[in-house]
Amino acid sequence: MKKIFAVLALALSASAHAQAPFVLIEACNSITDADRRLECLKAAIGAGGANAQTQPLNAVNRAFAGMEASLNAGISYNNYQLAVLDLAKAVATFKQDAGEAGAASAKLFESAVEAYSDAGALWERSISFYARRGNDIAYAGGLPVSMNGLDWLVSKYSLATGKSDIWGLERGLPVQSARAEIWRIAKEKAEAAAKAYGKKLDAPAKPDSAKDQNVVAVEEAAKQASCSDDPAASQTGVIGASRLFSVYCSNRQTMSFECVDGSCKRLN
């Protein structure tokens, strides 16, 4: 019996629709009760399918959340440069892992990284400029825009300027507020990217006629469980006469179901 379930575990892990993590398969295979072992394997299939879809988004979200936490904690300029590089790496990984489904979101994430990089350019210019003797007094009203080649930054982010020097000859950028505004824009872009990809995952699949009654039953059950106002079921695997489905919820969790001819039960 143990050998049969080991073979079943390998077959399930090889399924194109449900790539269950090997550690879950091993954990399920160690359960002595046959019925409970099978239920565990079914649940593992659902968990694998959910991870395959949400992992790229979760990883890049963690990277942007880390940047936000660092800014709130008062990150240094040197560490900020490294943080921007880490963001760029996370977005590159997301772009590769999410594929065509995440193309639009990847562009938004890249735009967010660009904004963080631009804020870094403003920060670097201000450090360099005010390190020169007397500039902190002569240009106390803000970092002079033209003198530091930052006209493009003002235009790109519609930044407010004021008198930089006492004579009012130079437009100046209040560094802290300007930097904070660019960070706000970057954060909004990252949030929009995550939201767009989340909608992609939640988009209805086009079921074939053989799955219609199962899809209807799963989506109704998910709706009743407050998973989503407009749930969309996706098939994640097949075990004998049973079909496995998952529904991506509004709270970014996933519900898994097992169906036979329109009769469905929730697995998690």
Side-chain angles (χ1 to χ4, degrees), residues 202-221:
D202 204 24
K206 295 181 179 179
D208 56 45
S209 57
K211 294 190 298 182
D212 282 352
Q213 59 183 340
N214 293 322
V215 169
V216 170
V218 167
E219 292 178 351
E220 180 60 28

Side-chain angles (χ1 to χ4, degrees), residues 139-171:
Y139 299 96
L143 183 67
V145 175
S146 296
M147 290 176 65
N148 286 277
L150 293 175
D151 297 88
W152 63 272
L153 190 72
V154 173
S155 176
K156 184 174 182 178
Y157 296 101
S158 301
L159 299 175
T161 60
K163 291 182 180 180
S164 175
D165 56 288
I166 59 175
W167 304 280
L169 299 177
E170 292 286 338
R171 285 189 305 155

Side-chain angles (χ1 to χ4, degrees), residues 73-136:
I75 191 173
S76 68
Y77 173 68
N78 287 337
N79 288 335
Y80 180 81
Q81 290 178 299
L82 297 175
V84 173
L85 287 176
D86 287 340
L87 276 186
K89 292 176 183 177
V91 170
T93 300
F94 170 84
K95 188 174 183 180
Q96 179 178 359
D97 292 346
E100 186 62 30
S105 291
K107 288 183 179 180
L108 281 171
F109 279 131
E110 287 172 340
S111 183
V113 173
E114 182 179 334
Y116 280 119
S117 179
D118 290 343
L122 169 62
W123 198 347
E124 187 278 328
R125 300 285 175 85
S126 68
I127 292 173
S128 176
F129 184 81
Y130 286 115
R132 301 170 195 164
R133 186 174 181 180
N135 279 355
D136 57 335

Side-chain angles (χ1 to χ4, degrees), residues 227-247:
C227 167
S228 171
D229 292 334
D230 186 23
S234 299
Q235 184 171 324
T236 58
V238 177
I239 300 179
S242 299
R243 294 175 183 267
L244 303 179
F245 292 86
S246 66
V247 179

